[in-house]
Amino acid sequence: MTSLTDVQNTAFMAIGPSRIAALSLLALAQAPEDAENEGAEDVLALSVQRICAAHDMLSSGLHGLLADCGYALPAELAARRDACLELLEPLHQAVTGTDGAALAQVRAVPDLAALCLYRLEPAVSGFLKDMVQCLREAQQLREEGRDAQMRATIANAEGVGRNIKFISFNASIEAARIGEMGKGFAVIATEIRELSGKTQTLLDEMSGYLKH
C-alpha cells in the first residue's frame, strides 16, 4: 500500500518544478531574442510539461493519491492547494490553449511578472513546505498507531498461548491418572505444549523487534 510519504514525494516532484517553469516562461516572454536561441525550444517544451504536470497534480492528482491512502488534506491546506491551482491556471491556459503560440499566449497573461515572481512562487513554496510537514506527521501517527495495534495483538496472542500451555499441562496430568488409556492423549498434550512454547518464543521475538 502506498504510504503518505510516497504521496508527499510524488506530489512534490510534480508541483515543485512549476516554480522554475514559470520563471523560465517569464524570461522567454520578456526576451524575444533569447527565444530564438538554440535550446530555447527545449526550455519552452520542458516548462510547458512542468506547468501541466503541476496543474494535473493540484487539480485532481493529489486528491486521488490521498484518497487511495484514506486521507484528505486539512481544510486550510486544501484551500491553499486551491489557491495555488488558481494562480497556476493563467499559465496553464496560455501554454495549452494554442498550438505553436505558447509564448505569445504567455506574454498576454496579465501582470505576468508579478504573477510568476511575487504570487505563484511564494504560494507554491509555502504550500509544499506545509504539505510535506502535514503528510510526514500524519504518516508518523499512522505508524505509531499500527505499532500499538501490533503490540496489542501480540499481547493477546501471548495470553492465548499461555492458556493453551496451561491446558495442555493439565491434560498431561489427567492422562497420567488414567494410565494406559491416556498415553496417546498425553503425547498429543505434550506436542501441544511444545508448540505453544515455540509460539511464545516467536511472539517474544516479534515484540522485541517492535520495541527497538
Side-chain angles (χ1 to χ4, degrees):
M1 180 179 179
T2 302
S3 70
L4 292 176
T5 301
D6 294 330
V7 173
Q8 161 205 308
N9 293 336
T10 300
F12 191 96
M13 293 302 294
I15 300 171
S18 66
R19 297 168 295 179
I20 298 175
L23 296 177
S24 297
L25 289 175
L26 175 62
L28 290 174
Q30 289 185 336
E33 64 280 3
D34 291 339
E36 304 299 328
N37 293 341
E38 184 179 355
E41 289 187 4
D42 293 337
V43 173
L44 176 60
L46 182 58
S47 298
V48 170
Q49 178 184 340
R50 287 172 168 174
I51 292 294
C52 291
H55 185 273
D56 291 345
M57 182 59 68
L58 288 168
S59 60
S60 60
L62 179 55
H63 176 77
L65 291 173
L66 291 175
D68 290 342
C69 293
Y71 185 81
L73 292 177
E76 188 272 339
L77 198 54
R80 292 173 60 188
R81 176 201 60 198
D82 294 342
C84 290
L85 180 61
E86 183 177 353
L87 290 170
L88 191 65
E89 190 64 36
L91 288 177
H92 182 255
Q93 289 183 357
V95 299
T96 59
T98 305
D99 292 337
L103 273 182
Q105 296 293 331
V106 169
R107 293 189 186 101
V109 172
D111 299 323
L112 178 63
L115 172 64
C116 296
L117 292 172
Y118 305 118
R119 298 168 61 196
L120 180 62
E121 198 286 328
V124 170
S125 295
F127 168 73
L128 289 176
K129 177 184 176 182
D130 291 343
M131 179 201 69
V132 167
Q133 181 178 353
C134 175
L135 295 185
R136 182 186 294 127
E137 292 175 352
Q139 181 63 30
Q140 183 177 353
L141 288 175
R142 285 189 169 192
E143 291 173 355
E144 291 174 354
R146 189 178 299 116
D147 287 349
Q149 291 177 349
M150 290 178 65
R151 290 192 182 94
T153 300
I154 290 174
N156 291 334
E158 288 174 339
V160 172
R162 285 192 292 270
N163 288 337
I164 292 175
K165 192 172 184 178
F166 180 72
I167 292 171
S168 65
F169 181 74
N170 287 339
S172 297
I173 295 175
E174 293 299 323
R177 286 179 179 177
I178 60 178
E180 287 294 324
M181 295 179 60
K183 283 186 176 180
F185 188 64
V187 172
I188 295 175
T190 299
E191 291 179 353
I192 292 175
R193 186 166 63 252
E194 290 177 353
L195 180 60
S196 175
K198 292 178 180 178
T199 302
Q200 184 68 45
T201 299
L202 178 60
L203 291 171
D204 288 342
E205 292 178 355
M206 293 174 62
S207 180
Y209 292 146
L210 286 175
K211 290 177 181 177
H212 289 83

